[in-house]
Amino acid sequence: RSTVREAMALLERRGVVEGIPRYGVRVIAVDAEEIEEIFNIRAQLLGLAARLVAERPPEGLVPSLLERAGELRARADEADTSPADYASLSIDTQRMLIGACPGKRLRTIYEGLSDQALWRYAIREKSVSFRTQQRRRESAADWARLAQAVAAGDGEAAERAAKALLHASYRAVAAGMNADGPGSPPA
């Protein structure tokens, strides 16, 4: 019993289940408003990271980021690229950008949001943002704009591009949720 209680407490802390007094626990449903809130927070954080990195890029970051933007474009142009493969490369690129920031608070907060159960299970693991090749191409173009702004040292443009990147992903997720029916998790 204690092992089960500990497991349930851990799942509750991670946001997978919620405790209900005199009932037990139940799995938390995907909440569209919470997903939007997480996307908005992530957009602000990625925007800040892009601005900071553009204004003071660490040595070697700009060529790596430009190369990664090219890889994303190539993957998006390949018709047989799976949404999961593209999402993985996009997530790694976000981590590259966040990891290049001075200090660790921004990285810690951003990764904390990435580890939220709702985000992991409903968004990241399902690659909802990249279901179509057209959407992958749009994302690759967003990454190219962001990489160019960082390369130019234009913090304001880099921030705008980073925010636009995540807002476009949110719109794709929201459209997927609406297509699947209200209240249903993204497929």
Side-chain angles (χ1 to χ4, degrees):
R1 284 183 174 211
S2 65
T3 303
V4 171
R5 268 185 258 153
E6 288 175 30
M8 290 301 160
L10 175 65
L11 291 172
E12 189 170 8
R13 283 191 303 275
R14 291 189 177 175
V16 176
V17 299
E18 63 182 337
I20 301 170
R22 294 180 300 281
Y23 175 76
V25 295
R26 70 175 177 192
V27 175
I28 293 178
V30 175
D31 181 348
E33 289 177 8
E34 189 174 357
I35 290 172
E36 180 179 14
E37 180 181 25
I38 293 172
F39 264 106
N40 286 331
I41 293 168
R42 287 174 60 92
Q44 294 300 317
L45 293 173
L46 191 65
L48 175 59
R51 176 183 284 275
L52 293 171
V53 168
E55 291 172 353
R56 285 196 204 152
E59 189 173 327
L61 175 75
V62 170
S64 295
L65 189 58
L66 290 168
E67 181 181 333
R68 186 62 65 87
E71 288 176 39
L72 285 159
R73 166 76 65 195
R75 290 275 181 93
D77 286 340
E78 294 171 5
D80 63 342
T81 297
S82 74
D85 287 344
Y86 184 88
S88 179
L89 188 58
S90 180
I91 290 165
D92 286 346
T93 308
Q94 288 177 39
R95 287 186 178 134
M96 174 194 296
L97 190 62
I98 292 288
C101 286
K104 65 180 183 177
R105 292 270 183 229
L106 188 106
R107 284 192 303 264
T108 302
I109 294 168
Y110 196 81
E111 287 302 319
L113 286 171
S114 296
D115 288 338
Q116 295 255 334
L118 175 65
W119 185 263
R120 277 198 333 266
Y121 300 122
I123 306 302
R124 188 171 68 195
E125 290 183 6
K126 296 187 183 269
S127 308
V128 178
S129 297
F130 309 115
R131 284 183 176 173
T132 67
Q133 184 178 22
Q134 177 60 33
R135 177 64 200 114
R136 292 188 293 275
R137 285 180 170 158
E138 291 166 1
S139 170
D142 289 340
W143 274 113
R145 278 189 286 283
L146 174 52
Q148 289 297 325
V150 169
D154 187 342
E156 187 177 323
E159 182 175 359
R160 269 194 321 271
K163 288 177 180 180
L165 177 95
L166 282 182
H167 288 306
S169 282
Y170 170 70
R171 287 190 299 276
V173 168
M177 287 177 70
N178 290 338
D180 294 338
S184 59

